[in-house]
């Protein structure tokens, strides 16, 4: 997980955060988080974000574990 202590992510933005081509930047393409999410999902994982106004944001990657194989 990666945490920050910034202003957080507005609720209306949270709903679209991982949508392809969605951006809040004037010169952004809106591809970074969408691509990141697909990469994580292709490895069986999950990328999520949570935020509370004024308390910063948390981005969390969860990946499946594989049992330790005996040699």
């Amino acid at each position: 997980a990666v945490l920050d202590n910034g202003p957080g992510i507005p609720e209306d933005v949270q709903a679209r955060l991982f949508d392809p081509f969605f951006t809040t930047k004037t010169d952004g393409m809106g591809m970074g988080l969408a691509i990141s999410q697909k990469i994580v999902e292709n490895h069986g994982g999950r990328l999520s974000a949570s935020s509370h106004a004024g308390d910063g944001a948390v981005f969390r990657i969860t990946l499946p574990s594989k049992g330790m194989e005996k040699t």
Side-chain angles (χ1 to χ4, degrees), residues 33-57:
L33 287 174
I35 290 171
S36 297
Q37 185 178 47
K38 286 296 180 191
I39 291 169
V40 172
E41 287 175 350
N42 285 341
H43 286 85
R46 181 170 180 246
L47 173 59
S48 62
S50 61
S51 176
H52 294 91
D55 289 335

Side-chain angles (χ1 to χ4, degrees), residues 16-69:
R16 300 189 61 204
L17 201 56
F18 297 101
D19 290 353
F21 307 110
F22 174 75
T23 184
T24 59
K25 299 177 183 176
T26 56
D27 61 348
M29 291 180 58
M31 295 301 298
L33 287 174
I35 290 171
S36 297
Q37 185 178 47
K38 286 296 180 191
I39 291 169
V40 172
E41 287 175 350
N42 285 341
H43 286 85
R46 181 170 180 246
L47 173 59
S48 62
S50 61
S51 176
H52 294 91
D55 289 335
V58 179
F59 285 83
R60 179 172 282 111
I61 295 175
T62 307
L63 295 169
S65 64
K66 291 189 176 185
M68 297 196 48
E69 298 180 24

